[in-house]
């Protein structure tokens, strides 16, 4: 299993805004009281719990590859209709309960761009989601879309090359998959879904103490989110590479008219029905 970069404290400090910008995808999920919902890549369980509070007589199961997240989710949010399980979500079929065809809805927010990084697991991932759902069940998700945080990808790739990492290795270290709506629609159709909505939105996000790093600055965000990039840099050069990423980003993301800082998030959102 891949190294666990996440701890709830670091995530809460650098990215606690992620579950808060979710009104659209939650409206697409349209939770009903009886719903049985599988949440893929549930993180520390904040949003999973909110969903479970609407599925009052149903059931919600949150899955995540980070033991740290699952342990926090269980301690803070477990309830009779909301459970959490540690699972590498590229291998949903290793959890029989997940793929038993009993779920009304499968949901995912801001996780699939990490989960789907490796091209060879994508088609089995979507087939397993399809298998998880009841006939006519719905897969609703939001993730980074094409062009997401392009400035971060460019700054991190350049910093790795400056630290002596070959381009191909820098490319492989990129931990994200940010597909276009067209490509995602094709992946879903191939796995047996009828795609009802697949939309791409540019959602520049203003960095504030809340959206980027409660302790101030970009450093915490870069060290957490770009950990897999930085891991391939020689240890003695790692801090300098992180600093270069921050310095370049500060320059690019700052609006000169008022000094505000914006990251170029794009969102890919979909509603797909099991055929
Ligand atoms: C995202 O949610 O789009 C995202 C967050 C951190 C790093 C990269 C992408």
């Amino acid at each position: 299993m891949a190294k666990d970069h996440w701890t709830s404290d670091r995530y809460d400090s650098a990215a606690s805004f992620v579950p808060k910008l979710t009104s659209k995808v939650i409206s697409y999920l349209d939770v009903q009281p009886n719903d049985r919902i599988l949440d893929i890549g549930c993180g520390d369980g904040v949003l999973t719990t909110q969903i479970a509070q609407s599925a009052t007589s149903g059931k919600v199961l949150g899955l995540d590859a980070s033991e740290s997240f699952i342990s926090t989710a269980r301690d803070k949010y477990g309830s009779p209709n909301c459970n959490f399980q540690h699972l590498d979500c590229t291998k949903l079929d290793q959890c029989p309960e997940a793929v038993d065809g009993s779920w009304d809805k499968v949901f995912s927010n801001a996780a699939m761009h990490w989960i789907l990084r490796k091209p060879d697991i994508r088609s089995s991932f979507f087939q397993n989601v399809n298998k998880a759902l009841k006939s006519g069940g719905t897969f609703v998700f939001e993730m980074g879309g094409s062009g997401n945080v392009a400035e971060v990808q460019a700054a991190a790739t350049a910093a790795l090359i400056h630290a002596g990492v070959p381009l191909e290795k820098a490319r492989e270290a990129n931990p994200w998959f940010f597909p276009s709506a067209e490509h995602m629609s094709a992946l879903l159709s191939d796995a047996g879904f009828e795609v009802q909505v697949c939309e791409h939105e540019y959602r520049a996000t203003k960095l504030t103490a809340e959206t980027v790093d409660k302790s101030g600055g970009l450093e915490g965000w870069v060290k957490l989110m770009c950990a897999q990039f930085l891991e391939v840099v020689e240890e003695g050069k790692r801090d300098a590479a992180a600093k270069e990423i921050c310095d370049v980003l500060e320059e690019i993301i700052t609006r000169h008219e008022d000094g505000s800082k914006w990251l170029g998030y794009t969102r890919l959102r979909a509603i797909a029905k099991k055929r």
Side-chain angles (χ1 to χ4, degrees), residues 15-154:
S16 61
F17 69 99
V18 170
K20 293 180 185 149
L21 298 174
T22 52
S23 48
K24 196 143 193 191
V25 71
I26 290 292
S27 77
Y28 286 176
L29 187 64
D30 188 25
V31 182
Q32 301 299 311
N34 281 323
D35 273 347
R36 288 174 51 83
I37 301 177
L38 190 63
D39 182 2
I40 294 182
C42 65
D44 60 7
V46 179
L47 196 54
T48 323
T49 308
Q50 286 170 25
I51 293 168
Q53 281 164 358
S54 302
T56 41
S57 41
K59 173 180 168 145
V60 181
L61 174 62
L63 305 172
D64 203 282
S66 162
E67 293 201 47
S68 169
F69 273 154
I70 290 298
S71 149
T72 303
R74 282 183 176 144
D75 289 350
K76 275 179 142 170
Y77 304 117
S79 68
N81 74 331
C82 186
N83 296 304
F84 297 95
Q85 196 164 321
H86 175 233
L87 183 75
D88 173 354
C89 296
T90 64
K91 298 175 186 144
L92 285 173
D93 49 348
Q94 288 186 350
C95 175
E97 189 186 355
V99 289
D100 65 0
S102 72
W103 301 94
D104 297 294
K105 291 167 185 166
V106 175
F107 174 75
S108 183
N109 178 55
M112 283 165 53
H113 44 258
W114 302 95
I115 295 167
L116 296 174
R117 170 65 186 108
K118 294 214 171 87
D120 55 333
I121 55 88
R122 289 176 198 154
S123 65
S124 67
F125 172 85
F126 288 108
Q127 280 160 16
N128 281 331
V129 172
N130 193 275
K131 202 168 151 193
L133 286 163
K134 282 179 182 164
S135 169
T138 314
F139 182 24
V140 176
F141 65 87
E142 181 172 306
M143 63 186 284
S146 51
N148 193 38
V149 293
E151 63 283 57
V152 179
Q153 299 189 78

Side-chain angles (χ1 to χ4, degrees), residues 108 110-119 121-123 125-126 139 141-150 153 174-188 197-202 264-270:
S108 183
M112 283 165 53
H113 44 258
W114 302 95
I115 295 167
L116 296 174
R117 170 65 186 108
K118 294 214 171 87
I121 55 88
R122 289 176 198 154
S123 65
F125 172 85
F126 288 108
F139 182 24
F141 65 87
E142 181 172 306
M143 63 186 284
S146 51
N148 193 38
V149 293
Q153 299 189 78
N174 184 329
W176 306 309
F177 171 55
F178 296 136
S180 66
E182 294 73 22
H183 184 51
M184 180 52 73
S185 294
L187 288 171
L188 289 164
V197 173
C198 190
E199 62 192 14
H200 185 276
E201 177 193 358
Y202 177 64
Y265 283 94
T266 72
R267 300 290 89 184
L268 182 63
R269 233 174 269 118

Side-chain angles (χ1 to χ4, degrees), residues 224-274:
L224 179 62
M225 299 303 180
C226 298
Q228 280 122 306
F229 277 113
L230 291 167
E231 226 168 52
V232 299
V233 174
E234 243 174 80
E235 212 177 323
K237 296 183 177 173
R238 219 169 269 164
D239 283 347
K243 181 171 182 320
E244 179 181 331
I245 300 171
C246 291
D247 289 347
V248 171
L249 282 179
E250 285 277 356
E251 179 54 30
I252 296 171
I253 68 178
T254 303
R255 291 192 183 168
H256 293 286
E257 68 272 22
D258 61 2
S260 61
K261 298 179 200 311
W262 297 74
L263 269 184
Y265 283 94
T266 72
R267 300 290 89 184
L268 182 63
R269 233 174 269 118
I271 307 176
K273 260 208 180 333
K274 177 168 177 166

